[in-house]
Amino acid sequence: MNSLQYYIDLYRKNRLRDLPESVYDMKDRAMEILTDKSFPSEKDENYLYTPIAPVFDRQLSVFRPSLENFSPDLVTKILRSDIPEIDSYSIFVTNGYHLNNEPIHELPGRIVLGSFINMIKHFGSVYRDFFSNYQLSDDVLVNLNTMLSGDGFFLFVPAGATPAKPIQIINLFDGPDNILIQPRNLIVMEEGSSADIMVCDYTLSDHSFVCNDVTEIALKKNASLNLVRMQKVNGATDLMTHTVVQQAESSQMKTHYLSISGASVRNNLSVMLNGKNADHTAKGLSFTQQTEHVDNHVQITHASPDCRSNQLFKHILSDTSTGAFTGRIIVAEGAQKTSAYQRSGNILLQPEAKMNIRPQLEIYADDVKCSHGATVGQLDAEALFYLRSRGIGEVEAKKLLLRAFAEEVLTDISNESVKAEIIRLADRKTEEGF
């Protein structure tokens, strides 16, 4: 039996209720696309280094919320977890569902934050505006999410508005083994608006979870968004994220991935620069040990002239862990005066660790500046010797070198509390890697 058929049957048996007809139409269209498809195999170019089919061959149960789904000690688990204390507007999303009694929060400045599913019900105009000409993805995992997703988070920032504090979305995974979690998220930034968002993924138990997360982002003219995604899940969890960004004229966005732990983490970032002078910076820092795996797959399409993009991804790998980075830059015909840069730097703390890198350039314009570069190596022996000769212990010397290596990724994070928390976690992770 095709494992995708198993999930199609689950969708038919467990359809959500009380949603607008347009939502069901989209879910049914996704189901139709999936009917003759299969999960990506090891021969699929887009998932060459991250096996997906074995993850779903387990025939996972699709999570749907009920009172018995949530353990009574959930609050205790949250308090004991490593969630950073940051002065922010915060919401908790547990197994993809917003649990607060107030599903929609209206922040100062008419900013709306809360449940995706309640946004559809109570802010239908935003939903219709975004999805009116919606094209379904050609990615099987995105379509699986479209078909099966129930809830997630929604953020709407009206024209000219800026939240007074950063916004923190805390994604918690808790419950029985082998559940499939499918958050669906939407961020809409109207003209001239700006925001800082931190999305944190945490597991609250040692159980096995599979999370297939889709976040769609629309930046209107002159909008600005800083997005940090911190991933700290247990060694039995597979985490797949898909972030799809549409940027209008003169919009700016900075995306940061920090992958601290997880059995397998796959981050897909797809950016479309649709208006002149749009700018996107994508950075990532990952730490893997034992048999962990992190794969960052980035595609930035320059569809308009005078746009800029910059990709910088760094991996620190120990034991027999593995990493992958695919960075693709597409410059469309007519997208003159494009500036696009890409770089990947990687350190292997043990020779058994392995890193795969695929830079890709696809250019259909002639007046462009595009470049890419990649390095894989070990810690600088001379620099390490210099620090040791000054009386610094070996572990501390290695931490200093690795912090310096990582710092370049973190420089664009504007919130100092967030940056300090990331450095703390990075120091702990690198020490474990030794």
Side-chain angles (χ1 to χ4, degrees):
M1 178 182 181
N2 182 342
S3 56
L4 253 175
Q5 186 60 48
Y6 166 80
Y7 295 100
I8 291 171
D9 292 342
L10 282 182
Y11 166 67
R12 287 173 171 155
K13 293 175 185 176
N14 298 285
R15 287 170 65 90
L16 296 170
R17 298 179 180 178
D18 303 324
L19 294 178
E21 196 61 37
S22 59
V23 178
Y24 295 121
D25 289 343
M26 188 179 302
K27 287 180 173 292
D28 289 345
R29 283 166 52 207
M31 180 189 68
E32 291 170 5
I33 292 173
L34 292 172
T35 300
D36 59 352
K37 303 293 185 184
S38 58
F39 284 108
S41 70
E42 64 276 4
K43 296 180 181 179
D44 188 305
E45 279 293 314
N46 286 330
Y47 290 92
L48 190 61
Y49 301 116
T50 302
I52 295 298
V55 173
F56 291 92
D57 280 344
R58 287 177 278 172
Q59 296 193 345
L60 306 159
S61 61
V62 176
F63 182 84
R64 290 288 184 258
S66 63
L67 290 177
E68 60 267 20
N69 283 136
F70 300 106
S71 58
D73 61 341
L74 179 62
V75 173
T76 303
K77 289 181 180 179
I78 293 172
L79 293 174
R80 290 176 180 170
S81 66
D82 205 14
I83 295 170
E85 294 183 9
I86 297 169
D87 185 20
S88 62
Y89 299 116
S90 301
I91 63 170
F92 289 86
V93 179
T94 303
N95 296 343
Y97 284 82
H98 186 91
L99 297 183
N100 197 298
N101 290 330
E102 298 178 46
I104 297 293
H105 311 267
E106 295 196 29
L107 308 180
R110 297 185 299 112
I111 297 165
V112 179
L113 172 66
S115 159
F116 178 86
I117 204 73
N118 279 279
M119 174 273 298
I120 295 175
K121 295 177 180 178
H122 302 294
F123 289 85
S125 61
V126 177
Y127 177 83
R128 287 190 295 272
D129 287 347
F130 183 84
F131 288 101
S132 58
N133 297 308
Y134 190 76
Q135 299 293 319
L136 288 173
S137 173
D138 57 1
D139 188 296
V140 167
L141 296 182
V142 174
N143 285 324
L144 183 71
N145 178 285
T146 300
M147 180 178 72
L148 289 175
S149 58
D151 200 8
F153 76 84
F154 164 64
L155 174 65
F156 173 75
V157 185
T162 301
K165 303 177 185 178
I167 291 171
Q168 187 175 191
I169 313 296
I170 302 170
N171 281 332
L172 303 173
F173 308 149
D174 188 44
D177 264 323
N178 293 323
I179 60 171
L180 175 58
I181 300 165
Q182 300 259 33
R184 187 65 171 227
N185 313 306
L186 176 62
I187 299 171
V188 176
M189 308 286 300
E190 290 205 317
E191 184 172 341
S193 64
S194 63
D196 287 344
I197 304 174
M198 183 174 182
V199 181
C200 307
D201 302 302
Y202 293 98
T203 45
L204 297 180
S205 71
D206 295 329
H207 289 163
S208 172
F209 305 100
V210 175
C211 179
N212 181 38
D213 177 293
V214 174
T215 302
E216 294 177 296
I217 301 172
L219 272 68
K220 303 295 178 65
K221 183 178 178 180
N222 291 316
S224 176
L225 177 64
N226 296 324
L227 173 65
V228 176
R229 182 140 200 170
M230 186 161 69
Q231 301 165 323
K232 190 173 183 292
V233 296
N234 68 33
T237 293
D238 296 293
L239 175 60
M240 291 153 280
T241 75
H242 314 266
T243 304
V244 183
V245 183
Q246 300 281 343
Q247 290 188 230
E249 179 182 346
S250 300
S251 62
Q252 297 185 26
M253 182 169 172
K254 294 176 182 177
T255 304
H256 286 80
Y257 293 100
L258 180 73
S259 304
I260 296 291
S261 57
S264 177
V265 176
R266 164 66 182 236
N267 295 310
N268 289 334
L269 174 63
S270 176
V271 179
M272 184 71 71
L273 302 177
N274 287 321
K276 291 182 65 174
N277 294 309
D279 187 304
H280 194 105
T281 296
K283 294 187 176 183
L285 179 63
S286 71
F287 304 83
T288 54
Q289 60 188 48
Q290 299 176 3
T291 59
E292 293 175 337
H293 174 77
V294 173
D295 181 355
N296 291 301
H297 191 283
V298 180
Q299 176 174 304
I300 299 181
T301 300
H302 290 250
S304 295
D306 300 298
C307 293
R308 298 165 299 280
S309 68
N310 187 14
Q311 303 175 40
L312 174 63
F313 282 77
K314 294 189 174 185
H315 291 67
I316 299 171
L317 307 96
S318 60
D319 303 318
T320 59
S321 65
T322 55
F325 171 68
T326 298
R328 190 178 185 197
I329 298 169
I330 301 175
V331 182
E333 185 177 355
Q336 307 294 357
K337 305 294 183 183
T338 285
S339 296
Y341 305 100
Q342 178 194 118
R343 186 155 54 91
S344 174
N346 309 278
I347 290 181
L348 308 181
L349 296 180
Q350 278 90 35
E352 293 79 15
K354 184 177 181 180
M355 183 69 199
N356 298 287
I357 308 165
R358 292 193 302 170
Q360 300 175 343
L361 298 177
E362 192 174 326
I363 301 173
Y364 301 100
D366 52 16
D367 186 5
V368 302
K369 294 180 181 178
C370 298
S371 67
H372 62 78
T375 58
V376 179
Q378 298 176 326
L379 282 173
D380 188 322
E382 289 187 9
L384 186 60
F385 175 79
Y386 175 83
L387 292 174
R388 295 294 309 280
S389 69
R390 295 300 186 271
I392 299 174
E394 182 179 2
V395 170
E396 189 62 30
K398 288 181 177 180
K399 284 171 60 178
L400 288 172
L401 291 177
L402 289 174
R403 181 184 288 186
F405 173 77
E407 186 68 28
E408 187 179 8
V409 174
L410 308 179
T411 52
D412 288 335
I413 298 177
S414 56
N415 187 286
E416 292 301 322
S417 297
V418 172
K419 188 184 296 187
E421 176 64 20
I422 291 173
I423 291 173
R424 182 184 71 81
L425 289 171
D427 282 348
R428 184 193 301 176
K429 187 71 174 184
T430 53
E431 191 166 343
E432 291 172 359
F434 304 141

